[in-house]
Amino acid sequence: MNILVINAGSSSLKYQLLNPETGALLAKGLCERIGIDGKFTYKPQVEGKQVLDAVDVAMPTHSEAIQAVLNALVDKDNGVIGSMQEIDAVGHRVVHGGEAFAGSVLITDEVMKALEECIPLAPLHNPANITGINACTAVMGKDVPQVAVFDTAFHQTMPAKAYMYALPYEYYEKDKVRRYGFHGTSHKYVSGRAAAMLGKKPEELKLISCHLGNGSSIAAVDGGKSVDTSMGFTPLAGLPMGTRSGDLDAGILQYLMNKYGMNIDEMLNILNKKSGVEGLSGVSSDFRDLEKAAEEGNARAQLAEEKFAYEVKKYVGAYAAAMGGVDAIIFTAGVGENDKGIRAMVCDGLEYMGVKLDPAANDVRGKETVISAADSKVKVLLIPTNEELMIATDTAAIVKGN
């Protein structure tokens, strides 16, 4: 079964064609600068096929972008499938499903209406996701099943005590202000892999999943279900990130806005795009640059790394308390998979909880492996995330179920 996975942005579209049953990736790529001058990248994962790297292709809209993808996939010389009929379904990454969706869903007219109703909750992302779905329908027709897989859905199992904010209750009733959480597809994937690595059923485990990248979030996964997560109503909450502030005292906003005559949009631009480790360090939002600067003695870069690891550690402790224990801690995403220093800083001092890192095992990048010591009561796992495979797996399951 071949699934085309689509992640549509406002002027970009990432795609992968894969077989969820075997895990085989057939092709992947990117459509960029849609509506501007159109750049198309195609990377077939089959030997002897030609790579196209940022070639000029006219893409006035997402429909032309989807058509370019399909043309490349079935190209007689460099394609990886014989015809469009070999694409069994399309799986779309959708950022926000609100409270309407607690799992992935076959896209119907009713689902599209519900997605439109979620736009106020994710005004930057959901419109682009909807555009991607409409483009696929326009080019591929209504006969090819399409499935929406939500970043928020995995966290819909959180209890009210975890997702409610201590605000007047009517803001929840009327405006749906609550914690939603994000990166759900990644947290779901790695917690499933963790159970497989430990030879246990997900229902038997208490896991803490640390998705650490330019955007970062932590999830408490008890018995295979998310019971708490660090991102909130928006992805601005929780940990300090590449350029996002993470949690802070809301009174700071009023203080700075009054002092510098800023409006709320200017303030939020600073919190979203000029804060986090970039704001603290003055160096970069990229942890590789931070590491280099810290090694060269840059005190602010060192502080940014320490602050980030300290906040991750606090969440690990909090979620162990919330679940009444923890069996394994998972590191995933760009920083979690590749930065041994950050992993060591997070685990340092957690020995009282039964966490003992093996420095030799931790000296690894991007490989699924156990990095805790043999006598560590709590296992520490490095698991590269694969959101596209999770989307494809969900899509295949739903299409077969219908």
Side-chain angles (χ1 to χ4, degrees):
M1 191 174 204
N2 293 328
I3 307 292
L4 179 62
V5 174
I6 299 288
N7 182 354
S10 55
S11 65
S12 67
L13 185 145
K14 292 182 193 161
Y15 66 92
Q16 288 194 8
L17 182 69
L18 33 78
N19 181 332
E21 287 144 340
T22 62
L25 175 63
L26 301 174
K28 64 179 180 177
L30 176 65
C31 303
E32 295 174 282
R33 298 175 67 80
I34 299 169
I36 310 166
D37 54 5
K39 299 285 181 192
F40 180 67
T41 297
Y42 170 68
K43 295 180 177 174
Q45 306 295 297
V46 179
E47 219 171 300
K49 304 286 184 180
Q50 190 184 344
V51 170
L52 299 176
D53 195 9
V55 298
D56 292 329
V57 175
M59 301 180 205
T61 72
H62 284 67
S63 292
E64 287 84 4
I66 294 287
Q67 190 63 62
V69 171
L70 297 174
N71 290 347
L73 293 174
V74 301
D75 182 82
K76 67 176 176 29
D77 296 322
N78 295 304
V80 292
I81 52 174
S83 74
M84 288 245 307
Q85 278 63 50
E86 290 180 49
I87 299 173
D88 296 291
V90 183
H92 292 269
R93 180 196 179 202
V94 180
V95 167
H96 217 306
E99 289 190 317
F101 300 104
S104 304
V105 64
L106 190 71
I107 296 169
T108 60
D109 292 343
E110 292 76 27
V111 168
M112 290 301 285
K113 191 166 175 291
L115 292 184
E116 304 251 343
E117 286 166 7
C118 290
I119 285 175
L121 298 175
L124 298 178
H125 295 97
N126 270 34
N129 302 153
I130 290 166
T131 300
I133 295 166
N134 288 332
C136 281
T137 306
V139 174
M140 303 176 80
K142 285 208 161 185
D143 292 340
V144 179
Q146 298 187 66
V147 170
V149 180
F150 302 92
D151 279 15
T152 50
F154 183 59
H155 302 301
Q156 280 295 306
T157 49
M158 287 189 290
K161 64 184 179 186
Y163 71 71
M164 286 299 293
Y165 290 116
L167 289 167
Y169 197 76
E170 64 258 28
Y171 291 127
Y172 170 66
E173 289 181 302
K174 291 181 194 166
D175 306 303
K176 293 290 175 238
V177 173
R178 53 159 284 176
R179 180 185 307 280
Y180 287 102
F182 300 88
H183 295 139
T185 307
S186 175
H187 290 303
K188 182 180 178 182
Y189 175 77
V190 297
S191 53
R193 287 300 311 144
M197 286 172 77
L198 298 170
K200 300 213 167 162
K201 291 179 182 164
E203 295 75 26
E204 300 171 339
L205 293 168
K206 297 177 191 289
L207 304 170
I208 297 172
S209 170
C210 304
H211 178 107
L212 310 179
N214 197 41
S216 297
S217 72
I218 303 190
V221 183
D222 193 351
K225 292 183 165 64
S226 173
V227 293
D228 207 345
T229 190
S230 58
M231 281 182 170
F233 180 66
T234 72
L236 181 55
L239 298 166
M241 305 174 216
T243 62
R244 289 177 225 158
S245 64
D247 289 342
L248 81 173
D249 177 350
I252 294 169
L253 278 66
Q254 182 192 33
Y255 171 76
L256 291 176
M257 287 164 70
N258 285 344
K259 184 165 184 184
Y260 295 106
M262 286 187 274
N263 63 33
I264 190 65
D265 291 333
E266 291 170 310
M267 187 72 244
L268 276 175
N269 188 54
I270 288 169
L271 296 181
N272 269 309
K273 297 188 174 167
K274 297 182 178 177
S275 299
V277 295
E278 181 178 286
L280 258 185
S281 69
V283 173
S284 174
S285 61
D286 191 310
F287 279 77
R288 291 167 293 192
D289 298 337
L290 282 189
E291 187 181 9
K292 186 169 179 285
E295 283 169 0
E296 289 166 0
N298 185 314
R300 278 174 57 188
Q302 289 166 2
L303 171 64
E305 283 193 321
E306 286 169 9
K307 172 69 175 168
F308 178 76
Y310 175 69
E311 295 297 333
V312 174
K313 187 186 302 190
K314 284 204 302 190
Y315 269 106
V316 169
Y319 288 167
M323 293 190 290
V326 58
D327 296 302
I329 297 166
I330 303 161
F331 287 99
T332 192
V335 176
E337 292 169 26
N338 296 300
D339 196 325
K340 65 180 181 183
I342 292 289
R343 294 193 299 259
M345 286 163 81
V346 171
C347 294
D348 183 41
L350 295 180
E351 290 80 7
Y352 76 96
M353 270 173 52
V355 176
K356 190 174 172 188
L357 206 61
D358 179 336
N362 186 42
D363 190 8
V364 66
R365 295 166 67 93
K367 180 183 160 199
E368 188 173 281
T369 186
V370 178
I371 57 172
S372 47
D375 60 345
S376 181
K377 286 188 188 134
V378 175
K379 296 289 178 222
V380 185
L381 310 174
L382 192 165
I383 304 176
T385 193
N386 193 336
E387 291 166 280
E388 290 79 15
L389 180 58
M390 189 79 250
I391 292 170
T393 303
D394 267 17
T395 299
I398 281 170
V399 170
K400 281 179 186 164
N402 282 284

